[in-house]
Amino acid sequence: MQMKSCHIFYIAMTIGFLTMATGSAAADTIIVGDSGTVDYTTIQAAIDAANNGDTIFVYPGKYSENVDVNKELAIVAESGNPDDTAVQAADSNDSVFHVTANNVTISGFNITGANSTEKNSPAYGIYLDGVPVFVPVKDTEVQGCIITNNRLFNNSIGVFLEGSSNNVLSNNTASGNRIAIFLSSSNNSELSNNAVLNNEGGILMYGGSNNTFNNNNISNNGIAIVLHFYSNDNTFINNRASDNEHGIYIREASNLTLINNTANFNKRDGIYLDSSHYNVLEGNTANSNGEHGIYLNDFSWGNYLGNNTASNNEHGILLYYYSDHNSLINNTANSNEQYGIYLNETSNNSIEGNTANSNKVHGIYLKSSTFNTIINNTANLNDYHGINLNQSNNKTVNTDIVTHDFKYCKFLEDSSNNNTVSGNHLFDNGKGLVANVSENNIGINYINDRGITEMPFIGSVLTMIMLGIAFMFIRRE
């Protein structure tokens, strides 16, 4: 059988790789095309005739099919170019490729038209279906699949991994789908170098752990990355989630690692954590978002934020509503429209070594927040205050909020108290340090204006002594 000479090397290398991967030396190659010397004219006919370990090469053309893949096969566009090899759903309510076998490769196709309008019955461009038909069934996960170099366009969901683990999605482009990539209860997979552009939703996960997301570009979607409920122990490195409605949105997920991601120019938040615990955010950039750069909300505990940049947002970094025991270390939050670092109704956070300069209101602002430590930060050139520990008049404290064994009723009605403020550099602000109707431990800070003001009542002898020390270091202009 003759093949195009320019593709002989590519085909040989692919067959060699698949032979090594499957451990079979007797795998056949089956050719699909709409004309010429071919074995079959449809992909489904080739699959039906194939054995596990075979390779199916598909010549350029347009194939109108809904393909069921129930064998361990490599299905590869012979040209390697999605522009000239399209597989369009014959039935828009069904998947283009429905995969129920392990070790399937799908590469080089333009996959389109699975665009059911039924809200509760979406169709999928590629569906890795690890859900058993009969329960209980053991070992039903679809594993070891490689989805690479495809274009997924105009599908309800571009790629859906359901109960499917140890798979690789790489170098795909997903655009114009309702959801580009969706993982449900899927583990140990790698998503790398994918372009997720102009979809209603980018990458969504609902359950699943130990997945790795590297070097993906998720731009101009509704929400770039969404992790919901029980999506724990996943890693995100060097992804770009910019120009979306939200950048990275995490809800009730723990032990995530986010390193060196970029979440800029999103309409709302760059990185948002809601009720999420013990996550590590290191070296991320969240600039020029419409609302917050990095936002920890609603019982987000024990997170580490180190060496991130959150500048030119409405607020740089916001901790809100019982987001306690977090560490903010060596972050940069400059030139935000309001506050660089803002704590509202939080406690026991460590704010250390951060830079919060040139914000239009305050550098570091605490409202109704207690027992936080604010040390060795730099907050210069802010329009109002370098550090402001402010009151919250007529606050209603909810004594009915219970989580684990703790009842939360620790925020005083009118002030931010029992914070430790020491070693901070506060130069050229409207005022350096304001502790308004509050009782705090103010240590040695370095201030070049009138410094600590608006304190009609100080209820702690220790605080009064420390204030005296602080004033010794004030340098008047």
Side-chain angles (χ1 to χ4, degrees):
M1 183 167 296
Q2 295 182 347
M3 297 183 182
K4 298 178 182 178
S5 59
C6 63
H7 300 303
I8 291 175
F9 179 74
Y10 166 76
I11 293 172
M13 290 296 291
T14 302
I15 293 172
F17 171 78
L18 293 168
T19 299
M20 289 187 292
T22 61
S24 172
D28 289 332
T29 301
I30 301 171
I31 305 301
V32 175
D34 56 8
S35 62
T37 306
V38 297
D39 296 315
Y40 297 95
T41 57
T42 68
I43 300 169
Q44 188 64 63
I47 292 171
D48 293 342
N51 297 309
N52 286 338
D54 288 351
T55 298
I56 297 172
F57 282 108
V58 181
Y59 278 176
K62 183 175 182 180
Y63 301 85
S64 180
E65 301 188 52
N66 298 98
V67 181
D68 291 320
V69 186
N70 56 2
K71 301 172 185 177
E72 298 186 8
L73 302 170
I75 306 170
V76 181
E78 181 267 347
S79 70
N81 183 4
D83 286 341
D84 60 27
T85 310
V87 186
Q88 181 168 347
D91 179 357
S92 65
N93 296 306
D94 194 6
S95 302
V96 179
F97 285 95
H98 183 188
V99 180
T100 54
N102 297 334
N103 303 314
V104 171
T105 295
I106 299 174
S107 177
F109 297 99
N110 182 10
I111 299 168
T112 186
N115 52 16
S116 168
T117 58
E118 294 292 330
K119 183 176 181 181
N120 296 320
S121 300
Y124 317 118
I126 299 175
Y127 181 21
L128 303 189
D129 180 3
V131 177
V133 177
F134 301 103
V135 179
V137 177
K138 295 182 179 179
D139 301 325
T140 58
E141 287 193 341
V142 170
Q143 302 188 49
C145 295
I146 300 172
I147 309 301
T148 186
N149 190 35
N150 300 288
R151 179 176 298 127
L152 300 132
F153 173 72
N154 192 28
N155 304 287
S156 298
I157 297 176
V159 181
F160 184 28
L161 279 65
E162 186 173 27
S164 301
S165 299
N166 299 294
N167 301 293
V168 175
L169 277 66
S170 66
N171 298 294
N172 302 287
T173 298
S175 62
N177 306 283
R178 267 186 275 170
I179 298 172
I181 300 171
F182 189 6
L183 289 78
S184 176
S185 301
S186 295
N187 309 311
N188 300 300
S189 291
E190 177 184 342
L191 282 73
S192 62
N193 299 299
N194 299 288
V196 177
L197 313 171
N198 298 298
N199 304 278
E200 292 182 31
I203 298 175
L204 276 66
M205 177 182 289
Y206 196 112
S209 62
N210 297 308
N211 299 287
T212 302
F213 301 78
N214 295 329
N215 299 300
N216 300 287
N217 178 16
I218 312 106
S219 301
N220 295 297
N221 305 281
I223 302 179
I225 299 172
V226 179
L227 274 70
H228 267 291
F229 310 112
Y230 313 115
S231 298
N232 303 326
D233 300 290
N234 297 289
T235 300
F236 296 80
I237 301 175
N238 293 325
N239 299 285
R240 181 178 183 269
S242 297
D243 298 290
N244 306 281
E245 186 73 20
H246 285 278
I248 301 173
Y249 183 102
I250 298 166
R251 185 178 184 190
E252 296 190 27
S254 300
N255 298 306
L256 304 172
T257 301
L258 280 69
I259 299 176
N260 296 335
N261 301 285
T262 300
N264 296 342
F265 298 104
N266 297 287
K267 292 181 181 178
R268 299 189 64 182
D269 304 318
I271 301 174
Y272 176 88
L273 277 67
D274 184 89
S275 303
S276 297
H277 313 136
Y278 311 116
N279 301 290
V280 174
L281 280 66
E282 176 77 32
N284 302 285
T285 301
N287 294 338
S288 302
N289 298 286
E291 295 183 5
H292 312 97
I294 301 174
Y295 184 8
L296 275 60
N297 184 40
D298 196 16
F299 295 97
S300 289
W301 300 333
N303 300 286
Y304 172 81
L305 279 64
N307 298 294
N308 302 286
T309 300
S311 298
N312 296 295
N313 307 283
E314 185 73 13
H315 300 111
I317 300 174
L318 170 61
L319 277 61
Y320 182 65
Y321 198 66
Y322 304 104
S323 291
D324 303 338
H325 298 282
N326 298 289
S327 297
L328 276 64
I329 311 296
N330 297 328
N331 300 285
T332 299
N334 295 339
S335 303
N336 294 284
E337 287 296 315
Q338 294 195 43
Y339 313 125
I341 297 173
Y342 179 20
L343 277 62
N344 191 338
E345 301 185 50
T346 70
S347 72
N348 292 289
N349 297 289
S350 177
I351 314 299
E352 182 176 352
N354 302 282
T355 300
N357 294 340
S358 302
N359 297 285
K360 291 189 178 179
V361 185
H362 307 315
I364 299 173
Y365 180 45
L366 273 64
K367 180 179 180 181
S368 301
S369 296
T370 63
F371 295 101
N372 299 285
T373 301
I374 305 171
I375 59 174
N376 299 327
N377 301 283
T378 299
N380 299 333
L381 298 166
N382 297 285
D383 288 359
Y384 283 72
H385 309 142
I387 298 176
N388 186 319
L389 313 181
N390 198 15
Q391 65 181 356
S392 179
N393 292 323
N394 300 315
K395 173 180 167 47
T396 300
V397 178
N398 187 342
T399 60
D400 296 324
I401 297 174
V402 179
T403 179
H404 295 299
D405 297 323
F406 303 100
K407 180 172 287 186
Y408 280 74
C409 182
K410 57 176 172 272
F411 298 112
L412 301 184
E413 290 189 2
D414 61 353
S415 58
S416 293
N417 293 291
N418 297 298
N419 300 288
T420 298
V421 183
S422 179
N424 301 287
H425 290 75
L426 311 170
F427 297 160
D428 299 312
N429 304 284
K431 289 185 174 69
L433 174 58
V434 174
N436 190 10
V437 197
S438 300
E439 182 178 321
N440 296 282
N441 297 319
I442 310 295
I444 298 173
N445 296 278
Y446 305 92
I447 307 169
N448 72 337
D449 60 7
R450 292 187 177 274
I452 303 160
T453 63
E454 299 181 37
M455 287 182 292
F457 172 76
I458 302 294
S460 168
V461 173
L462 174 61
T463 301
M464 294 180 69
I465 294 171
M466 298 308 290
L467 287 177
I469 296 173
F471 277 115
M472 292 172 59
F473 285 84
I474 294 172
R475 297 190 293 109
R476 298 179 183 276
E477 294 181 347

